[in-house]
């Protein structure tokens, strides 16, 4: 450990770093605390942290620059991030943000001159069922309207600490509209662990196999196969990782599982620990759900006190397991399992080369299982109620239920749990959607379907989804929807590989060009070309799926873009006449001769 040359900063940092054991793996958690204390990451703090953790300064700066909730420049004592998700846009967030900036004399994306406040946009905050939404210093603001923003503006001007703001501003409802096999039951903590211990760990793994449980994150890999591969991989330790980084815009069911069903999730992780002989679990909590951290720590403490975590669980000698929570910091790519593991190790969340897969070489290069929290909840339910019970629901290839996050143009947005096999049409009727013209199933990386496909079913064999279900009625401009998704992917690409880094930017520019009325048939051809390259050449799933919404629109919603195509002949993306506008303004010339034909 090198001494820090900035004594003032050192004084504040030392206890933080000590609390995190001086471990380089805790770098992201340390940076988050520094951000909270200073409202940005001062350069001196980077130098000190690097010295304390024995890391190159560039590694610390690189990590700090990777995550959107960390800021290398002062971001204001109050930092407001408006959700830029399509449903928040539909509910009026852009106009609300503009009005807020006007009220406080702010320029969006910049901090006020007195360093008091900044306002900017962020990707989906996971509050699509109660938007327009935003975050203030990491705390969720829901159901925003002009009155609420006026109040918030006054609270900021009066420098009232966020912790003293009226609680109504931060109210987050579960909005569970339909409960099934998971959400319909609140069993005693420990119920599934006891059942697993009675049955035995190996028999429980066989029950999970027989149940047909597949991962709920969207890819649908058989859970028992993943667990077995991890259990059988040699290593110094085995790790259980719960992926609670639901960054897919339009998906918010994990928020509800964490808020009201955390015991079920921890129960599933503990069962996994016994099966895979693991002593340590990690829950990766997305930064947007930071407000749930204290509550979750409370659940863990209660479980420790009840003998459901810690040493000799439920009196079983040698059954030792505990769970640690790591916070994310606003990076969609950390939902990808190897990117998430990198982030858990305190690094930038850049996806790894695969193979080797995490089941053999994951966290700290040891065998690791990464599952979505809904998968762990299902595993707990199977341990308690058996494989036949679970396999008796759903379809042949998709057993059990799926929790959907429903938002957009419907009367009753919220959380709905259905058995697999439910049709899109039935769901639309259930949530009070009318005049629907399109549904985005599985978020922007999923599939955008049209009315002709409303007979299709939610299942791995038809419409696989991580849980997002966003509804658009006939009054919506599908091109604007797809434009939002194209901007999202361009923003969230981690930049590691060229097909995705460049492809997502080009895709965004071409969609913007078409939306602005300058598109041509050749641009449509270029989008198809780019989509093919990104799908086949990108390093990870983000790049593979980034062209999905654009290609779906080209195939299913031709009217959305054809009417915007200016002419059939090629038109350059760069508008020279528009670029000369500044020169015209400076010279005071705006006659016909000053314009290009
Ligand atoms: Fe990063 Fe995109 Fe490449 Fe994935 S595909 S590694 S997100 S640049």
């Amino acid at each position: 450990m090198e001494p820090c040359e900035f004594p003032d900063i050192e004084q504040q940092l030392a206890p933080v770093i000590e609390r995190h054991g001086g471990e380089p793996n805790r770098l992201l958690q340390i940076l988050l605390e520094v951000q909270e204390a200073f409202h940005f990451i001062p350069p001196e703090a980077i130098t000190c942290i690097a010295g304390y953790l024995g890391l190159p300064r560039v590694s610390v700066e690189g990590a700090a620059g990777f995550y959107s909730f960390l800021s290398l420049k002062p971001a204001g004592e109050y930092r407001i991030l408006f959700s830029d998700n399509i449903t928040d846009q539909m509910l009026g967030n852009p106009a609300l943000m503009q009005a807020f900036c006007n009220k406080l004399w702010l320029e969006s994306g910049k901090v006020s001159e007195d360093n008091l406040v900044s306002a900017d946009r962020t990707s989906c905050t996971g509050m699509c069922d109660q938007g327009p939404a935003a975050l203030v210093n990491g705390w969720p603001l829901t159901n925003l309207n002009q009155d609420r923003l006026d109040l918030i503006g006054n609270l900021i001007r009066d420098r009232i600490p966020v912790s003293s703001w009226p609680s109504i501003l931060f109210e987050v409802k579960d909005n569970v509209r339909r409960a099934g096999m998971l959400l319909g039951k609140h069993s005693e903590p420990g119920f599934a662990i006891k059942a697993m211990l009675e049955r035995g760990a190996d028999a429980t793994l066989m029950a999970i196999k027989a149940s047909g449980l597949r991962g709920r994150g969207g890819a649908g890999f058989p859970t028992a196969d993943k667990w077995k591969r991890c259990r059988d991989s040699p290593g110094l330790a085995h790790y259980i990782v719960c992926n609670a980084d639901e960054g897919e815009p339009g998906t918010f069911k994990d928020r509800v599982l964490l808020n009201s069903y955390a015991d079920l999730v921890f129960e599933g992780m503990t069962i996994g620990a016994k099966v895979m002989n693991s002593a340590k679990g990690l829950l990766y909590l997305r930064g947007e759900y930071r407000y749930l951290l204290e509550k979750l720590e409370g659940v863990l403490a209660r479980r420790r006190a009840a003998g459901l975590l810690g040493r000799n669980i439920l009196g079983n000698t040698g059954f030792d397991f505990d769970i640690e929570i790591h916070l994310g910091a606003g990076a969609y790519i950390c939902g990808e399992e190897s990117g998430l593991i990198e982030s858990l190790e305190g690094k930038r969340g850049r996806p790894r080369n695969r193979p080797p897969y995490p089941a053999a070489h994951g966290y700290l290069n040891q065998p690791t299982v990464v599952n979505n929290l809904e998968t762990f909840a299902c595993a707990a339910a199977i341990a308690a109620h058996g494989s036949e019970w679970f396999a008796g629901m759903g379809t042949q290839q998709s057993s059990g239920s799926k929790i959907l996050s429903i938002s957009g143009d419907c009367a009753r947005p919220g959380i709905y749990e259905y058995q697999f096999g439910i049709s899109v049409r039935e769901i639309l009727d259930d949530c009070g959607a009318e005049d629907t013209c399109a549904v985005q199933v599985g978020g922007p990386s999923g599939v955008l379907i049209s009315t002709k496909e409303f007979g299709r079913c939610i299942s791995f064999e038809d419409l696989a989804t991580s849980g997002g279900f966003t509804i658009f009625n006939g009054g919506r401009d599908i091109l604007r929807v797809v434009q939002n998704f194209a901007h999202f992917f361009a923003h969230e690409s981690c930049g590691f590989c060229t097909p995705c880094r460049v492809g997502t930017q080009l895709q965004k520019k071409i969609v913007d060009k078409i939306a602005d009325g300058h598109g041509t048939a050749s641009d449509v051809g270029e989008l198809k070309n780019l989509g093919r390259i990104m799908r086949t050449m990108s390093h990870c799933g983000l790049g593979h799926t980034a062209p999905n919404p654009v290609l779906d629109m080209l195939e299913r919603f031709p009217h959305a873009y054809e009417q915007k195509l200016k002419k059939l002949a090629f038109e350059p993306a760069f508008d020279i006449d528009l670029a000369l506008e500044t020169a015209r303004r400076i010279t005071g010339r705006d006659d016909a001769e000053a314009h290009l034909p």
Side-chain angles (χ1 to χ4, degrees):
M1 186 181 84
E2 289 175 21
C4 178
E5 55 189 293
F6 305 102
D8 291 352
I9 296 265
E10 183 181 22
Q11 209 181 1
Q12 293 189 61
L13 279 184
V16 175
I17 292 172
E18 203 172 303
R19 198 161 352 100
H20 291 285
E23 277 198 40
N25 286 338
R26 304 288 301 181
L27 172 61
L28 179 55
Q29 310 310 302
I30 292 168
L31 288 171
L32 279 163
E33 288 199 31
V34 173
Q35 172 78 36
E36 219 163 294
F38 294 90
H39 309 297
F40 80 116
I41 314 285
E44 300 85 353
I46 293 178
T47 306
C48 283
I49 293 169
Y52 268 120
L53 301 184
L55 291 169
R57 191 183 187 283
V58 69
S59 301
V60 179
E61 192 168 9
F66 183 82
Y67 297 92
S68 67
F69 287 178
L70 303 177
S71 174
L72 293 171
K73 289 185 290 187
E77 213 174 299
Y78 299 87
R79 188 185 189 197
I80 303 219
L81 297 170
F82 287 81
S83 177
D84 202 27
N85 179 37
I86 184 65
T87 52
D88 288 288
Q89 283 197 359
M90 282 155 49
L91 290 164
N93 238 3
L96 287 172
M97 176 173 158
Q98 193 51 56
F100 180 77
C101 286
N102 293 346
K103 181 180 168 75
L104 292 183
W105 293 80
L106 282 174
E107 196 178 330
S108 109
K110 295 199 174 149
V111 66
S112 60
E113 279 183 12
D114 57 359
N115 265 339
L116 180 68
V117 55
S118 66
D120 207 344
R121 290 174 300 169
T122 186
S123 299
C124 180
T125 55
M127 307 285 159
C128 320
D129 55 335
Q130 43 210 301
L135 298 170
V136 56
N137 295 356
W139 296 91
L141 297 163
T142 53
N143 295 305
L144 287 175
N145 54 34
Q146 199 52 62
D147 289 346
R148 285 193 175 197
L149 281 168
D150 284 345
L151 171 63
I152 289 167
N154 294 337
L155 291 164
I156 290 173
R157 274 193 188 138
D158 295 341
R159 296 178 186 257
I160 307 291
V162 173
S163 54
S164 303
W165 289 13
S167 59
I168 183 82
L169 293 171
F170 304 107
E171 193 180 36
V172 179
K173 292 191 175 138
D174 277 354
N175 282 337
V176 177
R177 311 277 187 182
R178 177 178 281 274
M181 52 172 282
L182 289 180
L183 304 183
K185 289 192 176 78
H186 273 285
S187 305
E188 273 288 293
F191 75 105
I193 299 175
K194 285 176 194 157
M196 179 270 295
L197 289 169
E198 267 172 37
R199 186 187 278 116
D202 288 347
T204 299
L205 182 61
M206 282 165 65
I208 291 173
K209 174 85 180 161
S211 74
L213 175 63
R214 298 170 68 172
R216 285 348 194 204
F221 194 82
T223 303
D225 293 355
K226 207 182 209 183
W227 286 22
K228 183 173 181 306
R229 203 173 289 179
C230 176
R231 183 195 67 181
D232 296 343
S233 294
L236 299 171
H238 291 65
Y239 293 100
I240 310 292
V241 173
C242 178
N243 184 347
D245 190 44
E246 65 172 354
E248 193 72 43
T251 313
F252 46 87
K253 48 110 187 157
D254 290 357
R255 182 196 82 210
V256 176
L257 281 170
L258 291 164
N259 188 46
S260 300
Y261 300 84
D263 268 306
L264 193 61
V265 175
F266 293 144
E267 201 99 342
M269 290 177 74
T270 311
I271 287 164
K274 183 69 179 166
V275 168
M276 287 171 269
N277 196 22
S278 166
K280 183 162 181 180
L282 300 140
L283 182 133
Y284 189 93
L285 180 66
R286 76 182 296 228
E288 289 80 351
Y289 298 162
R290 157 73 184 82
Y291 74 102
L292 291 171
L293 179 63
E294 281 77 21
K295 183 171 185 177
L296 289 167
E297 293 285 11
V299 176
L300 289 177
R302 173 170 50 72
R303 291 182 70 83
R304 284 183 199 112
L308 298 170
L309 282 175
R311 305 290 301 271
N312 305 324
I313 290 172
L314 289 177
N316 286 265
T317 310
F319 183 10
D320 303 338
F321 179 66
D322 213 328
I323 297 171
E324 197 174 283
I325 301 176
H326 276 236
L327 265 178
Y332 169 72
I333 192 57
C334 291
E336 196 276 344
E337 63 176 7
S338 66
L340 184 146
I341 290 170
E342 287 283 296
S343 184
L344 280 176
E345 293 180 359
K347 305 174 200 155
R348 302 155 73 107
R350 200 185 78 190
R352 293 176 177 176
N353 285 331
R354 298 190 304 173
Y357 291 96
H361 297 276
Y363 180 63
L364 305 180
N365 208 25
Q366 301 303 316
T368 302
V369 144
V370 183
N371 276 136
N372 179 269
L373 62 170
E374 190 180 344
T375 313
F376 283 119
C378 288
I382 293 164
H385 306 296
S387 56
E388 278 183 26
W389 166 80
F390 191 85
M393 288 174 271
T395 69
Q396 201 165 9
Q397 291 175 46
S398 313
S399 51
S401 68
K402 185 75 197 86
I403 304 174
L404 297 181
S405 317
I406 297 185
S407 62
D409 293 315
C410 65
R412 294 177 292 280
I415 297 296
Y416 292 71
E417 184 184 5
Y418 295 105
Q419 290 189 26
F420 275 115
I422 182 95
S423 75
V424 171
R425 190 169 291 115
E426 286 171 279
I427 297 170
L428 291 171
D429 287 345
D430 206 15
C431 67
E434 287 176 4
D435 182 31
T436 305
C437 82
V439 179
Q440 183 72 40
V441 181
S445 69
V447 57
L448 180 63
I449 60 168
S450 66
T451 47
K452 282 188 219 146
E453 299 167 278
F454 288 176
R456 293 181 66 183
C457 297
I458 301 295
S459 63
F460 291 108
E461 51 270 47
D462 189 0
L463 289 170
T465 171
S466 57
F469 191 97
T470 314
I471 301 165
F472 305 102
N473 68 25
R476 301 293 175 191
D477 180 349
I478 295 300
L479 180 57
R480 291 284 171 202
V481 172
V482 169
Q483 192 179 15
N484 174 279
F485 296 160
H487 279 241
F488 167 76
F489 283 119
H491 180 257
E492 296 294 343
S493 167
C494 83
F496 170 66
C497 67
T498 310
C500 172
R501 182 183 65 249
V502 178
T504 51
Q505 289 295 336
L506 288 175
Q507 178 174 265
K508 178 181 96 163
K509 281 189 178 163
I510 297 174
V511 173
D512 284 350
K513 186 183 169 193
I514 295 173
D516 290 345
H518 294 284
T520 66
S522 111
D523 290 312
V524 173
E526 194 52 33
L527 281 174
K528 288 180 183 166
N529 232 343
L530 272 175
R532 188 181 48 77
I533 293 169
M534 281 193 275
R535 273 185 175 170
T536 53
M537 311 290 283
S538 295
H539 177 67
C540 82
L542 188 152
H544 298 153
T545 56
N548 287 0
V550 171
L551 297 178
D552 286 344
M553 175 187 71
L554 297 183
E555 187 190 326
R556 296 173 165 98
F557 300 91
H559 60 278
Y561 65 93
E562 276 174 357
Q563 61 197 14
K564 295 263 176 135
L565 297 182
K566 200 174 179 186
K567 50 194 169 193
L568 293 180
F570 171 77
E571 181 175 322
F574 182 67
D575 185 341
I576 302 175
D577 191 58
L578 188 68
L580 290 171
E581 182 59 34
T582 315
R584 280 195 294 269
R585 231 186 12 253
I586 291 169
T587 56
R589 276 195 64 186
D590 200 24
D591 56 281
E593 291 290 306
H595 284 271
L596 292 170

